[in-house]
């Protein structure tokens, strides 16, 4: 098992991309490092992957948010769903397993920042890869605090969805 270290922080997506490049397996699993996900749910996603054979399976957090966060998440999921042509249950879940070769093909356009998950989900759906969601349990955060800034990151994610969605819908294949 190789250890990957950066001299300075390069971002969430950069770390995932480095891990995907270093992996030697056909599939890569990711999970957030704040203690909200369990190994049991990773195993459930793996079992789903083995049985149904999707190119990516994402843990659907079924979040019970209120107020602005709830409506913000609904707007982002709805907007992304319009471009994807199907309902997206949880766009930004960090718990997912995906085909390594597909992720490597998208590496040049995948964000080095927080929006890695948005980018890869929309890209794979736009190219008709088999992407599915499996409900998971989310535990209270055990480590650290969220760095997501509600308005700034929400608007940035909305812009990214529109940019990727329009770019993928209008490209020539």
């Amino acid at each position: 098992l190789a250890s990957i270290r950066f001299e300075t922080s390069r971002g969430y997506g950069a770390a995932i991309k480095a891990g995907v490049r270093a992996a030697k397996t056909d599939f890569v699993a990711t999970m957030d490092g704040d203690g909200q996900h369990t190994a049991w749910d990773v195993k459930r996603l793996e079992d789903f992957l083995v049985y149904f054979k999707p190119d990516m399976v994402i843990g659907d957090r079924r979040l019970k948010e209120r107020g602005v966060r709830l409506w913000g998440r609904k707007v982002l999921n709805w907007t992304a769903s319009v471009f994807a042509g199907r309902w997206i249950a949880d766009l930004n879940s960090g718990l997912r397993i995906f085909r390594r070769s597909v992720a490597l093909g998208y590496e040049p356009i995948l964000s080095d920042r927080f929006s890695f998950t948005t980018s890869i989900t929309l890209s794979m759906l736009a190219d008709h890869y088999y992407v599915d969601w499996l409900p998971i349990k989310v535990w209270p955060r055990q480590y650290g605090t969220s760095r997501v800034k509600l308005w700034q990151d929400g608007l940035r994610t909305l812009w990214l969805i529109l940019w990727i969605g329009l770019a993928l819908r209008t490209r020539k294949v």
Side-chain angles (χ1 to χ4, degrees):
L1 195 60
S3 175
I4 301 169
R5 290 197 173 271
F6 297 127
E7 292 296 318
T8 59
S9 177
R10 292 177 37 201
Y12 173 81
I16 292 175
K17 290 193 301 189
V20 170
R21 283 192 304 272
K24 305 292 184 219
T25 57
D26 290 338
F27 287 87
V28 176
T30 65
M31 65 190 299
D32 294 340
D34 57 11
Q36 291 186 317
H37 306 302
T38 65
W40 185 78
D41 275 330
V42 174
K43 177 66 175 140
R44 288 183 54 242
L45 264 64
E46 178 189 28
D47 291 345
F48 185 91
L49 185 85
V50 168
Y51 188 79
F52 291 104
K53 306 205 182 312
D55 297 296
M56 179 163 57
V57 60
I58 303 168
D60 177 1
R61 298 170 290 175
R62 307 272 168 110
L63 297 174
K64 304 284 189 258
E65 295 172 318
R66 295 183 206 135
V68 175
R69 278 196 183 272
L70 169 68
W71 289 104
R73 186 172 303 277
K74 285 182 181 251
V75 166
L76 295 177
N77 283 340
W78 180 83
T79 305
S81 296
V82 167
F83 286 111
R86 66 170 286 197
W87 177 245
I88 295 176
D90 189 348
L91 183 61
N92 294 319
S93 175
L95 182 59
R96 55 186 60 220
I97 301 175
F98 52 88
R99 191 174 299 279
R100 179 178 176 267
S101 61
V102 174
L104 289 173
Y106 289 120
E107 186 176 7
I109 67 166
L110 295 176
S111 174
D112 284 346
R113 298 172 67 165
F114 173 71
S115 59
F116 173 92
T117 54
T118 301
S119 305
I120 195 166
T121 303
L122 282 174
S123 297
M124 289 180 71
L125 286 169
D127 284 340
H128 307 289
Y129 283 99
Y130 176 16
V131 177
D132 215 335
W133 285 261
L134 184 69
I136 60 169
K137 169 91 170 129
V138 178
W139 297 93
R141 183 183 304 274
Q142 300 296 311
Y143 314 102
T145 57
S146 175
R147 294 185 194 163
V148 175
K149 296 175 189 82
L150 183 65
W151 290 103
Q152 181 180 346
D153 292 330
L155 290 173
R156 185 178 291 137
T157 301
L158 181 59
W159 172 248
L160 178 75
I161 291 167
L162 295 171
W163 183 80
I164 290 175
L166 290 171
L168 293 173
R169 288 285 184 188
T170 59
R171 70 182 173 183
K172 304 284 186 217
V173 180

